[in-house]
Amino acid sequence: LGGGFAGYGIYPEYKDFYAFHMFFDSRAARKGCEAFLKERFEIVQSEIIPTRKTPLITDEPIIWRYFVAPLKSLLTSMQLDEKEYVVRTVMKINTEMPGAYVFSSGKNMGTFKAVGYPEDIGIFYKLDEYEGYSWTAHGRYPTNTPGWWGGAHPFALLDSSVVHNGEISSYDANRRCIEMFGYKCTLLTDTEVITYMIDYLVRRQGLTLEEMASVIAAPFWSTIERKDPETRARLKYLRNAFSSFLITGPFSILLGFKGGIMALNDRLKLRSMVVGEKDDMVYIASEESAIRIIQPSLDKIWAPAGGEPV
């Protein structure tokens, strides 16, 4: 089993710095990676992520976090903006530094994941001591990929975090496509590729979240033909321009981002997903029963249509 959480608004004292959450297989891997980070960033804080020992979470790696700011001189010389600089750093560490994995790299947010049941992972990471305005959570029973710490959900890059229920039958085509743009899939699960495709479409291509949803869960051509002319032209463009980003297979995903959250089903709605509301709170889960455990009295609950972003 594997699972985890992503929280937003949890590091207000370091809100202007990127928070690198990292796993290391050994002290040597940590020292080597830290030396690399010092060459590229100002490290304002370096510390072990606090954990609470429990017999239900075992074989943990070295779990560390760094709060960093990119060195301006390197940004200028490499002609990169901050976010692209951070993404390239994450890819370099995850592909070229054995025993070192960046599993969170956003500002004022962080992911906490492990092998175990989510309720035990929350205890392990002392999540009762954190406060945030938005949280995503996931419990995973891997069926065709390894269960390991780095392969647990959420998957995060910069301020985006993704949890996913389902299976991507188009994974290999999606992976080969996204790796042409400098991303590297190294964490041994199909969900990782969703995170990178969303980053590419939204951050690098400038699509809105609704447009991104119309790419990865694209409506069928027959559906597009029934739209009004302006909408039809826009959807045709997105399908043609980003055809290799279409995700096929059953999935429902939650996308956490700075200031909000988005939910999306595959276009055939082959995985369940429900949304509930109570006052100013929104709850999204695979099953209604999970929401009602937390909030038994809801003002509204509904199941979004396939391919309909919420």
Side-chain angles (χ1 to χ4, degrees):
L1 291 169
F5 305 81
Y8 288 82
I10 63 173
Y11 293 133
E13 67 273 34
Y14 295 111
K15 62 183 177 62
D16 296 322
F17 300 94
Y18 293 93
F20 279 20
H21 286 197
M22 303 194 64
F23 292 145
F24 298 109
D25 289 348
S26 65
R27 294 177 65 184
R30 184 183 70 80
K31 288 183 178 180
C33 183
E34 190 167 299
F36 170 74
L37 289 175
K38 287 179 178 177
E39 294 175 354
R40 300 171 67 96
F41 296 89
E42 174 194 359
I43 300 178
V44 298
Q45 180 68 8
S46 167
E47 61 190 12
I48 294 175
I49 293 181
T51 57
R52 181 185 289 117
K53 293 296 182 182
T54 168
L56 300 173
I57 303 294
T58 60
D59 300 322
E60 66 265 26
I62 299 170
I63 310 171
W64 211 269
R65 64 186 170 201
Y66 301 91
F67 296 97
V68 304
L71 295 177
K72 298 297 185 183
S73 58
L74 288 179
L75 289 178
T76 302
S77 64
M78 297 174 70
Q79 297 183 323
L80 296 174
D81 63 27
E82 277 193 5
K83 291 183 177 180
E84 182 62 22
Y85 184 84
V86 169
V87 168
R88 293 191 185 189
T89 299
V90 170
M91 296 301 151
K92 187 173 182 65
I93 291 172
N94 287 356
T95 57
E96 299 180 16
M97 297 189 177
Y101 311 94
V102 182
F103 62 97
S104 187
S105 53
K107 285 186 174 181
N108 202 11
M109 65 83 64
T111 63
F112 306 85
K113 59 186 185 176
V115 173
Y117 288 100
E119 56 267 36
D120 300 325
I121 294 168
I123 293 170
F124 175 75
Y125 279 110
K126 300 184 177 182
L127 293 190
D128 53 301
E129 299 178 7
Y130 293 83
E131 292 184 358
Y133 61 80
S134 177
W135 290 88
T136 61
H138 189 273
R140 180 179 188 232
Y141 184 82
T143 53
N144 56 6
T145 55
W148 71 293
W149 285 64
H153 298 218
F155 289 87
L157 186 66
L158 295 173
D159 295 326
S160 296
S161 61
V162 172
V163 298
H164 162 226
N165 174 30
E167 182 180 355
I168 302 173
S169 56
S170 58
Y171 168 73
D172 193 51
N174 296 146
R175 178 190 57 79
R176 285 186 281 112
C177 172
I178 199 61
E179 288 191 340
M180 291 192 298
F181 301 103
Y183 300 85
K184 298 295 180 184
C185 296
T186 59
L187 300 179
L188 308 179
T189 179
D190 53 3
T191 310
E192 181 185 21
V193 77
I194 301 177
T195 310
Y196 299 160
M197 290 197 300
I198 290 174
D199 178 72
Y200 177 80
L201 292 169
V202 175
R203 180 180 62 87
R204 290 178 57 176
Q205 291 298 316
L207 300 190
T208 66
L209 292 176
E210 291 82 1
E211 289 169 339
M212 177 272 293
S214 295
V215 169
I216 68 174
F220 292 98
W221 289 111
S222 57
T223 303
I224 293 175
E225 289 300 327
R226 295 195 294 269
K227 301 293 184 180
D228 63 83
E230 182 178 348
T231 302
R232 184 165 62 243
R234 177 174 56 83
L235 292 175
K236 281 186 175 181
Y237 166 76
L238 292 172
R239 282 217 61 175
N240 287 318
F242 304 106
S243 57
S244 295
F245 289 80
L246 171 65
I247 298 174
T248 59
F251 71 84
S252 58
I253 64 171
L254 285 180
L255 167 66
F257 55 91
K258 193 172 184 178
I261 191 169
M262 187 189 84
L264 181 68
N265 263 136
D266 64 82
R267 56 188 180 173
L268 287 174
K269 198 170 178 60
L270 297 173
R271 280 292 183 270
S272 60
M273 185 177 71
V274 292
V275 181
E277 295 182 9
K278 177 66 174 181
D279 300 327
D280 64 346
M281 292 290 290
V282 175
Y283 307 87
I284 305 168
S286 296
E287 292 85 25
E288 180 179 343
S289 58
I291 296 176
R292 292 198 181 274
I293 288 174
I294 299 172
Q295 177 51 263
S297 175
L298 294 165
D299 297 330
K300 180 182 179 183
I301 188 161
W302 80 98
E308 175 192 347
V310 176

